[in-house]
C-alpha cells in the first residue's frame, strides 16, 4: 500500500489559502500529527513565513519553526511533514528541494499553483540518497 497522508479538507484549504496569499512568492509551513504504521494523519497546520520572499525558494522562519515544534509537543503530536508552494512550476521536488530534504522521516508536500484554478498538492518521501517517492493523500470530510 505504501505511505498515506490523511488530512481534513479544511486543513487542505488552510494550506491552499496560505499559498495563494503568498503569491507571487513561495509559501511554506509545517504539519503536525500522528504516525501509525504507514498512515500519517495531519492534526494541525502551521503557516510559516518564507523569509526569502522569493518565487523560487523558501526559508522557514526559525522562530516560527521552534514555536510550531513546542506547540506540537504540548499537543502530544509530532511534526510529520512540511509543505511549500511552487507558484510557477509543477508539484514535484526541484533539485534544491531534494538537496534541502534533510529528514527522510518527514513528508514533503508541494502545492503547484502553476494553473491557479487547478491547484495540485502532492506528497513526497525523499530518502537519504535523495530518491523521491510519491505518497497518497486522502482527504477526510468536514
Amino acid at each position: 500500500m505504501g505511505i498515506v497522508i490523511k488530512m481534513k479538507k479544511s486543513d487542505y484549504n488552510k494550506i491552499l489559502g496560505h499559498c495563494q496569499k503568498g503569491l507571487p512568492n513561495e509559501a511554506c509551513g509545517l504539519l503536525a500529527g500522528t504516525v501509525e504504521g504507514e498512515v500519517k494523519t495531519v492534526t494541525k497546520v502551521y503557516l510559516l513565513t518564507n523569509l526569502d520572499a522569493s518565487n523560487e525558494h523558501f526559508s522557514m522562519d526559525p522562530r516560527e519553526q521552534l514555536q510550531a515544534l513546542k506547540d506540537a509537543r504540548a499537543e502530544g503530536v509530532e511534526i510529520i511533514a512540511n509543505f511549500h508552494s511552487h507558484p510557477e512550476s509543477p508539484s514535484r521536488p526541484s533539485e534544491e528541494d531534494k538537496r534541502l530534504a534533510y529528514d527522510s522521516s518527514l513528508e514533503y508536500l508541494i502545492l503547484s499553483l502553476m494553473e491557479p484554478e487547478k491547484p495540485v498538492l502532492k506528497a513526497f518521501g525523499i530518502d537519504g540518497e535523495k530518491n523521491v517517492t510519491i505518497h497518497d493523500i486522502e482527504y477526510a470530510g468536514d
Side-chain angles (χ1 to χ4, degrees):
M1 176 173 115
I3 291 175
V4 177
I5 292 89
K6 293 189 170 186
M7 76 165 66
K8 293 187 194 122
K9 204 72 181 139
S10 59
D11 286 339
Y12 166 77
N13 289 331
K14 206 173 188 181
I15 292 169
L16 179 61
H18 181 59
C19 292
Q20 287 171 330
K21 251 200 310 245
L23 289 171
N25 295 327
E26 288 192 5
C28 56
L30 295 170
L31 303 174
T34 59
V35 179
E36 287 173 44
E38 296 202 309
V39 177
K40 299 182 177 190
T41 305
V42 175
T43 56
K44 192 145 188 193
V45 177
Y46 298 97
L47 307 175
L48 306 188
T49 305
N50 176 4
L51 292 178
D52 292 348
S54 158
N55 67 345
E56 290 177 347
H57 43 85
F58 71 100
S59 299
M60 294 182 181
D61 182 318
R63 277 188 311 243
E64 294 175 353
Q65 266 181 300
L66 189 62
Q67 197 50 54
L69 204 60
K70 284 181 178 167
D71 185 74
R73 276 204 197 114
E75 305 241 339
V77 292
E78 56 187 301
I79 300 294
I80 57 171
N82 66 38
F83 71 86
H84 72 279
S85 59
H86 279 181
E88 296 157 21
S89 58
S91 176
R92 60 170 176 258
S94 65
E95 287 309 311
E96 182 177 354
D97 293 337
K98 288 188 233 176
R99 200 174 64 245
L100 298 173
Y102 58 91
D103 185 343
S104 60
S105 72
L106 286 180
E107 293 296 309
Y108 294 89
L109 276 66
I110 299 174
L111 178 71
S112 171
L113 296 170
M114 202 164 68
E115 294 181 64
E117 66 293 339
K118 283 196 213 143
V120 178
L121 181 67
K122 290 186 181 167
F124 302 92
I126 303 176
D127 70 15
E129 280 75 61
K130 306 302 181 193
N131 298 310
V132 175
T133 319
I134 293 189
H135 296 157
D136 289 329
I137 301 176
E138 286 178 10
Y139 298 103
D142 79 350

